[in-house]
């Protein structure tokens, strides 16, 4: 029973059954383990409080849409720890609490073997959490999930649990998904796991087979690479053998060298000891000579000291003699000085007289020349004044010409700069065209080649073929480049324009068929450009901020403009700058009512207006204008023509200006020639005046010199007398010096005799000393020679000792022993195979080295790579054997799993097919269920449902696109029924599966459901539906649960509902 308030608010609900109306169930009901005995909801979705007692067979939950049928489905799912995603509704659990309530709960009682299991889920809307209770004890969610799993309740398997929102998804399952769902539903967890294990293992086997093939390929590749360099490796190995022999020989050579060096060291040591004895004897022999030599040296020193004293006395007297001789010589020199001074005075007087005579002659010449110049200067004075006047006049004319010349020079420079600027602008415009051509070549090579061909073959056509629109279209205003290119885009932009069909046919034949160029061409319309008129006048558009039509901004050949107007209506596209939203809205409101549509541009946007088909207003769409790609390199022919005219005008102005400048320069040149001639005349006069001043100065200077010379005369007689007196005085001094010198010379002679005797004695003693020293020196030389010999022997001994020690260390480092006797037997045997002579060993080393060098040439890195590959080859060989064994074992394992999975699956699918075919035959249709096998990919195995609803049709696979919604619902329901007898689950639930079925099929399906659930071994079944057909057949195993829940029901629900049930039961009887 259900009761409601008159205001429509749901307060409390209950469900009534046609088979039993009590709220209790007897203990002997035939519920299977895990079947639902009771459902209790509190503040859950549409219900305040409700308690439901499902029957063990078919439970038909009946109620209008919105009364809460799906709420019961949600309660079953969420009460059994199902995920909210299975319901296709809200994702969070708090959204299942009734609106305006803080908490709600779902309680399910499941049939158990010994005792029933009661699961309760309390839901908090405030913190979006749940509390679980199992038989009144608080537990975790995973504990509830374990109980559900133990009963084999699979809420995620749509063959068992199919909510309303999942019906369409179930019907849309592909064969693979349908197989997985069927395995879970009737095959048990083991069958599904075996299938998944097969899929995983097959993928692993594919990976292992790929790895094996890769390793085998790598193995063969490495073997091939090593075989290619085998000869080089053999040479390398031979070289290593030679080098090892050389190493052994060098070891033997080290010990032989050491033995030889030690023998030399011992011989040298014995020889040194013998020489040390001879050195000791020589030192004893030299001792007597040393004493006698010392006495002789003392005698020589005494004689030398006596001789030194005599030499000092002799030197003193010699100094006195030299002093007197020096004074005598100085006196003789002084004797010549007075005479010399007199001769100089005499000569000076003669020179003075000569200078006086010369100055007198020069003065006479200067005076005569000065008188002659004075007359010429007086005569030229007037002529010079006239020259000055002419020069002033010429300078004035030159000064007047200079500003004009400078002005024309500046004008020419300015014009040259302006001309250079114009030429640069022209060059830049030309480069823009080249850039556009280069860009076209990158974008469409065929179009570029077609243009090159066309430029050489225009003569083939009756009228010119115009190059692609994008190449000949320019924009008069740079601001409109994006707008123009946004219209001229796509294939039309690269199309050639012909004026006739014949020319276009010739062009396309030449380019398409002969040259295989992918180009397009169009024909310009045969219509005057002036005939293209805008739908809205420009005067009205200007009132809304529009400046012109897009046609006004495009510069292109007339046929191109005609084509653009015909194709893109550029004559009917207004263009504006920046417009506000209010201005755009006002413009769209003021458009004519009969206008179907309009396209217009602002500075940044492309607007399209389209009149609505359903209302009398315009629908506006806008998009941002992309930056231009081709037209950014625009050729402005008007600007180029203007620049060319400006360039020609500048050339003419420069020629005129240069002619005027040349005329002024010719006048300036003539005046400068006249100025030069006048200045020559004036300079002649000035030179004469300068010569006059020079002559006057020269006369004055010479007169001064002459006066000085005349006053500087010398008295020669007086000078002669002074000279004689000085000479007499000097001769007297000379006589006195000669007398003193004679007295000292006698004393000097006596001293020289004593010195000669001392020298003789010294020489005799020195001779004796030298003889003794010579004998002593000979002995000392022998001693030194012996000492040197001993030192050399000592050094040689040390050197030989060090060499022997070094060779011992070297031999020890190479052989690892300190004594040849400790060498290994193997090494001694190898030593015996080689000569014992060092020379022969050296020759053998060289021979082996030559052989090793002949085997050289192999790259060490390649040899190392060969060795590394050998290691990898060995490793890969073992790895390949192991992988083959593993792969074979995997194949056997897959075969075993396949056998344990495939055969039971085929039997199950066969049973399902029998049931499914039977159900379809009961409905006068045909259906079958087949297993699609794929041994190459177990993941692609699936169940194919084939149906035939009409006799004229052939079997067709059931898909979401081929059959109608009702046919899919029938097929889905019958498939679920086919699983009913094979099921291992405690209950099934299907929500509104009959929606979309026609009444005939719905009746047949319902009858089949009733018949299938009438058996005692079938699972509990829930069928949720908003309606039932009249006069359906029911059985004792069918329970109808009617939901009477909502604001639009009868005021006295309980009385009317009981009457309705009585009426239904009476009709059934």
């Amino acid at each position: 029973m259900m009761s409601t308030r008159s205001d429509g608010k749901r307060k409390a609900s209950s469900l009534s059954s046609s088979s039993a109306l009590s709220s209790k169930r007897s203990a002997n009901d035939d519920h299977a383990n895990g079947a639902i005995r009771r459902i209790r909801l509190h503040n859950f979705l549409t219900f305040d409080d409700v308690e439901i007692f499902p029957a063990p067979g078919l439970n038909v939950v009946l109620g209008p849409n919105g009364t809460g049928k799906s709420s019961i489905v949600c309660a079953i799912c969420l009460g059994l720890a199902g995920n909210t995603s299975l319901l296709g509704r809200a994702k969070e659990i708090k959204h299942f609490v009734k609106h305006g309530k803080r908490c709600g709960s779902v309680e399910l009682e499941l049939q158990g073997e010994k005792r029933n299991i009661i699961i309760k889920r309390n839901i908090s809307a405030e913190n979006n959490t749940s509390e679980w209770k199992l038989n009144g004890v608080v537990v975790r969610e995973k504990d509830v999930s374990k109980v559900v799993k133990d009963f084999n309740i699979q809420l995620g398997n749509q063959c068992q649990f199919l909510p309303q929102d999942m019906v369409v998804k179930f019907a849309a399952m592909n064969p693979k998904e349908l197989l997985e769902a069927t395995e879970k539903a009737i095959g048990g967890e083991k069958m599904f796991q075996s299938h998944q294990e097969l899929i995983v293992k097959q993928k692993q086997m594919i990976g292992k087979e790929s790895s094996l093939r890769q390793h085998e390929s790598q193995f063969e590749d490495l073997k091939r690479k090593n075989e290619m360099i085998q000869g080089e490796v053999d040479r390398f190995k031979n070289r290593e053998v030679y080098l090892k022999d050389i190493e052994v020989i060098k070891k033997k050579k080290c010990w032989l060298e050491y033995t030889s060096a030690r023998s030399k060291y011992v011989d040298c040591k014995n020889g040194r000891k013998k020489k040390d004895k001879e050195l000791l004897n020589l030192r004893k022999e030299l001792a007597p000579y040393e004493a006698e030599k010392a006495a002789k040296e003392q005698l020589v020193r005494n004689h030398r000291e006596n001789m030194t004293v005599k030499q000092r006395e002799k030197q003193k007297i010699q100094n006195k003699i030299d002093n007197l001789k020096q004074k005598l010589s100085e006196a003789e020199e002084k004797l010549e000085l007075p005479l010399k001074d007199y001769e100089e005075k005499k000569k000076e007087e003669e020179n003075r007289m000569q200078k006086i005579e010369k100055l007198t002659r020069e003065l006479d010449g200067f005076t005569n020349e000065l008188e002659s110049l004075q007359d010429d200067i007086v005569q030229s004075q007037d002529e010079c004044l006239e020259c000055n006047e002419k020069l002033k006049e010429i300078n004035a004319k030159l000064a007047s010409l200079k500003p004009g010349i400078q002005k024309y020079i500046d004008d020419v420079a300015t014009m040259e700069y302006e001309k250079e600027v114009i030429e640069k602008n022209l060059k830049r415009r030309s480069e823009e065209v080249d850039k556009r051509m280069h860009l076209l070549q990158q974008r469409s090579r065929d179009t570029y080649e077609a243009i090159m061909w066309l430029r050489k073959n225009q003569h083939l056509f009756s009228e010119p073929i115009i190059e692609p629109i994008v190449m000949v279209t320019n924009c008069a205003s740079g601001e409109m480049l994006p707008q123009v290119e946004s219209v001229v885009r796509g294939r039309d932009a690269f199309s050639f324009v012909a004026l006739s069909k014949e020319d276009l046919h010739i062009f396309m034949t030449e380019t398409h068929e002969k040259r295989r160029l992918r180009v397009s061409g169009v024909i310009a319309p045969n219509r005057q450009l002036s005939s293209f008129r805008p739908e809205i006048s420009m005067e009205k558009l200007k009132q809304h901020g529009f400046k012109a039509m897009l046609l006004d901004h495009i510069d292109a050949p007339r046929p191109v403009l005609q084509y653009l107007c015909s194709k893109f209506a550029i004559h009917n596209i207004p263009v504006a700058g920046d417009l506000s939203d209010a201005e755009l809205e006002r413009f769209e409101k003021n458009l004519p009512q009969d206008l179907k549509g309009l396209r217009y541009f602002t500075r940044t946007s492309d607007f399209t207006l389209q009149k609505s088909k359903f209302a009398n207003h315009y629908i506006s769409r806008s998009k941002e204008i992309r930056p231009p790609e081709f037209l950014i390199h625009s050729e402005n022919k008007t600007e180029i023509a203007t620049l060319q005219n400006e360039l020609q005008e500048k050339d003419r102005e420069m020629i005129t200006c240069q002619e005027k400048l040349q005329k002024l320069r010719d006048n300036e040149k003539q005046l400068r020639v006249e100025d030069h001639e006048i200045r020559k005349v004036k300079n002649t006069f000035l030179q004469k005046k300068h010569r006059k001043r020079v002559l006057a100065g020269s006369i004055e200077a010479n007169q001064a010199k002459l006066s000085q010379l005349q006053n500087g005369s010398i008295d020669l007689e007086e000078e002669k007398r002074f000279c004689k007196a000085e000479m007499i005085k000097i001769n007297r001094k000379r006589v006195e010096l000669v007398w003193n010198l004679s007295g000292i010379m006698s004393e000097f002679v006596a001293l020289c005799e004593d010195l000669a005797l001392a020298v003789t004695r010294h020489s005799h003693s020195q001779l004796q000393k030298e003889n003794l020293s010579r004998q002593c020196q000979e002995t000392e030389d022998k001693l030194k020679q012996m000492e040197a010999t001993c030192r050399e022997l000592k050094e040689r001994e040390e050197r030989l000792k060090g060499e022997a020690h070094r060779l011992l260390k070297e031999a020890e480092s190479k052989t690892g022993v300190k004594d040849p006797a400790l060498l290994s037997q193997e090494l001694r045997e190898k030593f015996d195979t080689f000569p014992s002579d060092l020379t022969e060993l050296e020759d053998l080393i060289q021979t082996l080295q030559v052989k090793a060098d002949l085997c050289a040439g192999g790259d060490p890195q390649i040899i190392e790579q060969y060795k590394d590959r050998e290691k990898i080859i060995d490793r890969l060989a073992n790895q390949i054997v192991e992988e083959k064994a593993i792969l074979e074992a995997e194949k056997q394992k897959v075969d075993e799993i396949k056998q344990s999975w495939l055969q039971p699956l085929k039997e199950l699918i066969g049973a399902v097919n029998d049931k499914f075919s039977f159900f379809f035959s009961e409905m006068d249709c045909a259906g079958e269920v087949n297993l699609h096998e794929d041994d190459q990919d177990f993941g692609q195995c699936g169940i194919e449902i084939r149906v035939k609803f009409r006799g004229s049709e052939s079997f067709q696979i059931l898909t979401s696109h081929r059959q109608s919604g009702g046919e899919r619902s029938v097929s889905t329901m019958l498939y679920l029924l086919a699983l009913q007898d094979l099921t291992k689950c405690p209950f099934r639930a299907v929500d509104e599966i009959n929606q979309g079925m026609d009444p005939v099929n719905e009746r047949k399906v319902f009858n089949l459901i009733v018949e299938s659930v009438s058996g005692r071994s079938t699972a509990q079944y829930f069928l949720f539906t908003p309606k039932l057909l009249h006069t359906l057949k029911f059985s004792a195993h069918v329970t109808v649960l009617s939901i009477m829940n909502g604001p639009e029901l009868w005021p006295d629900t309980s009385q009317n509902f009981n009457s309705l049930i009585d009426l239904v039961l009476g009709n059934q009887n």
Side-chain angles (χ1 to χ4, degrees):
M1 296 295 295
M2 174 183 294
S3 63
T4 60
R5 292 185 181 181
S6 59
D7 59 359
K9 182 177 180 181
R10 299 171 185 175
K11 180 179 180 183
S13 302
S14 64
L15 297 181
S16 177
S17 170
S18 62
S19 60
L21 299 178
S22 65
S23 62
K24 300 284 184 176
R25 291 292 176 182
S26 61
N28 57 357
D29 284 340
D30 297 331
H31 285 81
N33 285 338
I36 301 174
R37 296 294 303 266
R38 180 174 57 86
I39 304 171
R40 179 176 179 80
L41 308 179
H42 173 68
N43 291 337
F44 187 82
L45 290 176
T46 59
F47 294 105
D48 293 328
D49 284 284
V50 66
E51 191 170 19
I52 308 167
F53 297 90
L58 173 63
N59 293 273
V60 180
V61 183
L62 178 66
N65 289 329
T67 57
K69 297 187 304 301
S70 296
S71 299
I72 298 174
V73 177
C74 296
I76 294 173
C77 177
L78 300 179
L80 295 175
N83 198 297
T84 56
S85 60
L86 299 176
L87 302 172
R89 291 195 173 195
K91 292 183 179 180
E92 295 182 346
I93 191 65
K94 66 181 180 180
H95 295 135
F96 290 89
V97 177
K98 188 172 183 178
H99 182 67
K101 302 297 182 179
R102 299 176 59 185
C103 61
S105 66
V106 176
E107 184 177 295
L108 297 177
E109 182 179 350
L110 304 180
Q111 178 69 39
E113 290 185 4
K114 296 181 180 181
R115 57 175 295 188
N116 291 347
I117 306 299
I118 299 175
I119 301 172
K120 185 173 183 180
R121 183 174 189 174
N122 294 318
I123 305 171
S124 173
E126 292 182 346
N127 51 18
N128 194 33
T129 59
S130 298
E131 180 191 49
W132 294 90
K133 289 185 178 181
L134 195 61
N135 292 329
V137 180
V138 177
V139 294
R140 293 174 295 179
E141 183 177 354
K142 67 178 183 179
D143 297 327
V144 177
S145 299
K146 184 178 184 305
V147 171
V148 172
K149 184 177 180 181
D150 292 342
F151 282 123
N152 196 29
I153 299 174
Q154 301 175 18
L155 296 174
N157 187 346
Q158 294 178 358
C159 291
Q160 292 186 19
F161 186 76
L162 192 62
Q164 178 181 351
D165 294 329
M166 295 297 172
V167 171
V168 177
K169 293 183 180 179
F170 182 85
M173 277 186 178
N174 58 38
K176 175 184 172 183
E177 295 170 340
L178 188 59
L179 174 61
E180 292 179 354
T182 303
E183 286 176 336
K184 293 178 182 178
I186 62 176
E189 188 67 23
K190 183 178 179 181
M191 178 176 287
F192 175 73
Q193 290 177 353
S194 297
H195 186 192
Q196 297 304 310
E197 186 178 1
L198 274 176
I199 295 172
V200 172
K201 284 192 174 295
Q202 190 174 52
K203 289 181 180 179
Q204 292 175 349
M205 282 179 58
I206 292 172
K208 290 177 181 178
E209 287 175 349
S210 175
S211 175
L212 177 60
R213 288 194 297 272
Q214 183 179 357
H215 289 158
E216 287 176 342
S217 174
Q218 185 182 4
F219 177 79
E220 295 299 329
D221 184 57
L222 292 175
K223 282 185 66 177
R224 185 176 62 257
K225 287 181 178 179
N226 274 11
E227 288 171 359
M228 291 173 63
I229 61 171
Q230 187 64 47
E232 186 175 353
V233 173
D234 291 341
R235 289 195 299 274
F236 181 79
K237 290 180 178 179
N238 292 336
R239 185 172 183 271
E240 287 185 337
V241 171
Y242 294 141
L243 293 177
K244 287 180 180 178
D245 289 344
I246 291 172
E247 187 66 25
V248 173
I249 294 171
K250 287 182 177 179
K251 290 178 180 180
K252 181 173 182 179
K253 181 185 172 187
C254 287
W255 283 113
L256 289 177
E257 287 176 343
Y258 164 69
T259 304
S260 176
R262 192 175 186 286
S263 177
K264 289 179 182 179
Y265 163 70
V266 172
D267 293 342
C268 181
K269 184 177 180 181
N270 295 332
R272 179 186 60 78
K273 290 180 178 180
K274 183 178 179 181
K275 291 295 181 182
D276 286 343
K277 292 179 180 179
E278 293 178 2
L279 178 62
L280 185 60
N281 294 332
L282 283 174
R283 286 175 177 168
K284 292 179 180 179
E285 184 181 345
L286 185 62
Y289 288 107
E290 292 292 336
E292 187 177 356
K293 180 183 175 182
K296 292 296 182 183
E297 287 178 349
Q298 183 61 40
L299 182 61
V300 170
R301 282 195 295 273
N302 293 336
H303 289 311
R304 187 185 296 116
E305 289 177 357
N306 185 31
M307 186 177 62
T308 302
V309 170
K310 296 296 182 182
Q311 284 177 342
R312 288 197 193 100
E313 292 177 356
K314 178 186 174 184
Q315 186 62 40
K316 288 180 181 178
I317 296 173
Q318 182 68 43
N319 290 339
K320 290 180 180 180
I321 293 172
D322 292 340
N323 190 22
L324 289 173
K325 285 182 179 181
Q326 179 67 26
K327 290 180 179 180
L328 185 60
S329 176
E330 290 175 356
E332 289 176 354
E333 291 176 356
K334 290 180 180 179
L335 185 62
E336 296 177 357
L337 289 176
L339 184 60
K340 188 175 181 179
D341 289 341
Y342 174 73
E343 292 295 334
E344 289 178 355
K345 295 290 185 181
K346 183 178 179 181
K347 189 175 181 179
E348 184 179 348
E349 182 62 20
E350 291 175 356
N351 290 336
R352 187 180 67 82
M353 294 304 294
Q354 291 176 359
K355 289 180 180 180
I356 289 173
E357 183 180 358
K358 182 180 179 181
L359 285 172
T360 302
R361 288 197 303 272
E362 288 179 356
L363 280 172
D364 292 340
F366 290 159
T367 303
N368 294 333
E369 185 179 357
L370 182 61
E371 290 175 355
S372 175
L373 283 174
Q374 188 68 31
D375 295 337
D376 292 341
I377 288 170
V378 172
Q379 292 176 2
S380 303
Q381 188 74 35
D382 295 335
E383 186 178 354
C384 183
L385 293 174
E386 183 179 352
C387 288
N388 287 337
E389 292 298 327
K390 290 181 179 180
L391 288 174
K392 288 181 181 179
E393 183 179 351
I394 290 172
N395 288 334
K397 290 180 180 180
L398 287 172
S400 64
L401 287 175
K402 190 172 183 180
I405 292 172
Q406 188 61 44
K407 175 181 177 301
Y408 285 123
I409 290 173
D410 294 341
D411 291 345
V412 169
T414 302
M415 292 176 185
E416 287 178 348
Y417 173 74
E418 293 174 350
K419 180 181 177 182
E420 183 179 353
V421 171
I422 295 171
E423 289 174 345
K424 286 182 179 179
N425 289 336
L426 279 172
K427 183 178 180 182
R428 188 163 58 250
R429 297 299 181 274
S430 177
E431 289 175 351
E432 290 296 325
V433 178
D434 294 339
K435 288 179 181 177
R436 193 188 295 188
M437 197 67 177
H438 180 66
L439 185 59
L440 176 68
Q441 183 180 5
Q442 293 177 337
R443 285 286 301 275
S444 178
R445 182 72 185 182
D446 290 354
T447 306
Y448 172 79
E449 292 181 359
I451 292 175
M452 295 295 101
W453 176 86
L454 179 64
R455 290 180 179 178
K456 297 177 181 178
N457 297 277
Q458 280 282 8
H459 61 279
L460 299 177
F461 309 100
S462 59
E463 293 182 87
I465 298 291
I466 300 173
E467 294 181 2
I469 296 175
V470 76
M471 296 301 299
V472 299
T473 301
N474 296 290
C475 189
S477 173
E479 296 179 354
M480 292 295 113
L481 289 175
Q483 288 82 347
V484 173
E485 187 162 327
S486 66
V487 173
V488 186
R489 281 188 181 274
R491 185 175 181 181
D492 290 288
F494 298 96
S495 297
F496 292 80
V497 181
L499 302 182
S500 66
K501 292 183 179 179
E502 293 77 11
D503 286 343
L504 181 62
H505 177 70
I506 295 171
F507 175 75
M508 297 306 289
T509 301
E510 290 290 337
T511 55
H512 264 254
E513 299 178 6
K514 294 184 179 181
R515 285 165 178 76
R516 303 295 181 185
L517 300 177
R518 292 180 295 177
V519 297
S520 60
V522 297
I523 301 175
N526 188 15
R527 181 179 172 184
Q528 293 295 325
L529 187 63
S530 58
S531 64
F532 294 98
R533 300 182 180 277
E535 296 181 6
I536 304 175
S537 65
M538 201 63 230
E539 290 75 13
K540 292 182 179 179
L541 291 172
K542 287 182 178 179
Q543 296 175 4
H544 298 285
F546 291 92
K547 300 177 181 178
M549 292 295 182
L550 187 62
L551 173 63
D552 301 330
H553 292 283
I554 297 178
D555 180 15
R558 183 173 294 274
V560 173
L561 294 177
Q562 292 171 352
Y563 176 76
L564 294 178
C565 288
S566 175
K567 182 69 179 288
F568 300 106
I570 60 173
H571 63 286
N572 203 34
I573 300 177
V575 179
D578 291 323
L579 295 180
S580 65
D581 294 340
E583 290 174 329
L584 291 174
E585 185 178 356
R586 186 169 60 254
F587 166 67
E588 294 176 4
K589 286 182 178 179
N590 294 327
L591 288 174
Q593 294 298 320
D594 57 346
L595 188 66
K596 295 182 178 180
L598 179 67
R599 184 182 184 184
Y600 62 93
F601 289 107
T602 63
R603 188 175 62 83
T604 58
S605 299
D606 180 1
F607 289 88
T608 302
L609 294 178
Q610 190 68 35
K611 199 163 188 179
S612 174
K613 296 180 181 179
F614 307 103
N616 191 21
H617 64 85
Y618 290 97
I619 299 173
S620 177
R621 296 183 179 89
S622 65
K623 61 181 178 180
E624 187 177 355
I625 300 175
R626 290 186 293 177
E629 182 179 5
F630 279 92
L631 296 187
I632 194 172
H633 309 297
S634 182
E635 178 188 14
N636 194 327
K637 293 183 178 179
T638 303
E639 186 177 355
I640 291 174
T642 303
L643 290 173
Q644 290 175 342
N645 293 335
E646 290 180 0
L647 185 63
Q648 294 175 359
E649 182 64 26
K650 289 297 176 186
D651 287 337
R652 288 193 293 270
E653 290 179 1
M654 281 182 63
I655 292 171
T656 302
C657 190
Q658 288 173 347
E659 289 175 352
K660 292 180 181 180
L661 176 63
Q662 188 61 39
K663 187 175 181 180
L664 289 177
R665 283 179 171 168
D666 292 342
N667 293 339
E668 181 187 28
K669 182 177 179 181
Q670 183 62 33
L671 288 173
R672 293 196 182 281
V673 170
E674 293 177 3
D675 178 81
H676 180 68
E677 294 297 330
I678 294 171
R679 287 187 184 279
K680 283 173 65 177
V681 175
K682 182 179 178 181
N683 287 340
T684 303
F685 172 73
L686 294 176
Q687 288 174 0
K688 289 179 180 180
K689 288 183 69 176
H690 177 68
R691 181 60 180 168
K692 177 183 175 183
R693 288 194 297 272
V694 170
L695 289 173
S698 299
I699 290 171
E700 183 178 356
N702 286 348
Q703 286 176 349
K705 290 180 181 179
L706 183 60
S707 175
Q708 184 180 2
L709 290 172
Q710 288 175 349
N711 294 330
S713 60
I714 299 173
D715 188 356
L716 293 176
E717 290 299 327
E718 180 65 27
E719 292 293 333
K720 187 175 181 181
R721 286 193 297 273
F722 177 76
C723 179
K724 287 181 178 180
E726 285 295 320
M727 290 177 69
I728 292 171
K729 183 178 178 182
I730 291 169
N731 283 329
R732 287 176 182 170
K733 182 68 174 175
R734 289 176 63 202
V735 171
E736 182 180 354
L737 290 172
V738 170
W739 178 259
N740 292 335
L741 181 59
S742 63
I744 293 174
M745 287 299 293
S746 300
E747 185 180 354
F748 182 72
V749 171
L751 187 58
C752 285
E753 291 175 354
D754 293 342
L755 181 59
L757 180 61
V759 170
T760 301
R761 291 174 180 171
H762 176 266
S763 298
H764 180 68
S765 60
Q766 181 67 28
L767 182 61
Q768 290 177 342
K769 174 201 163 188
E770 288 175 356
N771 290 332
L772 186 60
S773 296
R774 188 164 44 256
Q775 293 175 1
C776 185
Q777 185 64 42
E778 289 175 357
T779 305
E780 287 180 350
D781 290 342
K782 290 180 180 179
L783 181 62
K784 289 180 180 178
Q785 187 176 1
M786 186 59 67
E787 288 176 347
T789 301
C790 289
R791 282 196 303 274
E792 289 177 359
L793 288 173
K794 182 67 175 175
E795 292 173 357
R796 185 164 178 267
E797 179 187 349
E798 292 296 328
R799 192 164 57 252
L800 290 172
K801 181 180 179 181
E803 180 68 14
H805 184 70
R806 183 186 66 78
L807 291 172
L808 177 62
K809 289 293 184 182
E810 183 177 349
E812 180 183 350
S813 64
K814 288 187 176 181
T815 60
V817 296
K818 296 183 178 181
D819 194 309
L822 300 176
L823 290 171
S824 64
Q825 182 64 28
E826 180 185 358
L827 191 57
R828 283 201 298 272
E829 291 175 356
K830 288 183 179 180
F831 282 0
D832 293 340
T833 60
F834 299 112
S836 297
D837 184 71
L838 284 174
T839 305
E840 293 179 1
L841 285 178
E842 286 289 345
D843 294 339
L844 184 57
I845 288 173
Q846 292 180 0
T847 301
L848 292 175
Q849 187 64 50
V850 169
K851 291 182 179 180
D853 293 340
L854 290 175
C855 294
D859 188 350
Q861 187 175 359
I862 294 177
I863 305 302
E864 192 64 29
Q865 291 174 357
Y866 176 88
K867 294 179 180 179
D868 292 340
R869 281 196 292 269
E870 282 289 332
K871 295 178 182 177
I872 297 173
I873 288 171
D874 294 338
R875 177 174 56 80
L876 284 176
N878 296 329
Q879 189 172 352
I880 288 170
V881 172
E882 292 176 1
E883 287 181 354
K884 285 182 176 179
I886 293 172
L887 191 59
E888 188 62 31
E890 288 287 337
K891 287 182 179 178
Q892 293 178 0
K893 181 66 175 176
V894 168
D895 290 339
E896 292 174 1
I897 298 174
K898 178 182 175 183
Q899 285 299 116
S900 64
W901 166 74
L902 186 58
Q903 188 59 36
L905 178 63
K906 286 181 178 180
E907 294 174 358
L908 284 175
I909 298 301
V912 172
N913 180 51
D914 293 341
K915 286 286 185 180
F916 188 76
S917 300
F918 170 75
F919 291 148
F920 257 81
S921 64
E922 291 293 313
M923 298 184 65
D924 299 327
C925 299
E928 61 182 18
V929 177
N930 298 320
L931 175 63
H932 170 71
E933 299 181 43
D934 190 343
D935 290 339
Q936 301 301 319
D937 187 357
F938 292 112
Q940 297 302 319
C941 293
I943 291 178
E944 292 180 348
I945 299 178
R946 298 176 182 272
V947 294
K948 184 171 68 170
F949 286 92
R950 284 162 286 277
S952 59
E953 293 180 350
S954 59
F955 277 101
Q956 293 182 340
I957 297 176
L958 181 67
T959 65
S960 60
H961 309 290
R962 201 168 282 169
Q963 287 79 20
S964 66
E967 291 172 343
R968 290 198 303 274
S969 297
V970 169
S971 301
T972 302
M973 194 66 231
L974 294 182
Y975 185 78
L976 293 176
L977 286 176
L979 301 179
Q980 183 76 26
D981 290 341
L982 303 173
T983 185
K984 295 180 182 180
C985 60
F987 69 86
R988 297 181 186 275
V990 180
D991 190 4
E992 297 192 15
I993 192 66
N994 58 340
Q995 293 301 304
M997 294 185 190
D998 59 78
V1000 175
N1001 287 333
E1002 183 177 353
R1003 186 179 300 276
K1004 290 180 179 180
V1005 168
F1006 186 82
N1007 291 335
L1008 287 173
I1009 294 173
V1010 172
E1011 291 177 4
S1012 65
V1013 300
S1014 296
R1016 302 290 294 175
S1017 61
T1018 57
Q1020 188 181 35
Y1021 215 104
F1022 289 90
L1023 178 63
F1024 296 86
T1025 178
K1027 64 181 178 63
L1028 283 178
L1029 296 175
H1030 297 291
T1031 66
L1032 290 174
K1033 294 181 180 180
F1034 294 91
S1035 70
H1037 298 281
V1038 179
T1039 301
V1040 178
L1041 301 175
S1042 298
I1043 301 178
M1044 307 299 291
N1045 183 29
E1048 303 299 329
L1049 298 180
W1050 302 313
D1052 189 359
T1053 307
S1054 59
Q1055 181 180 355
N1056 293 327
F1057 190 68
N1058 289 330
S1059 301
L1060 177 62
I1061 290 175
D1062 293 337
L1063 177 62
V1064 171
L1065 293 175
N1067 290 335
Q1068 285 285 69
N1069 294 329

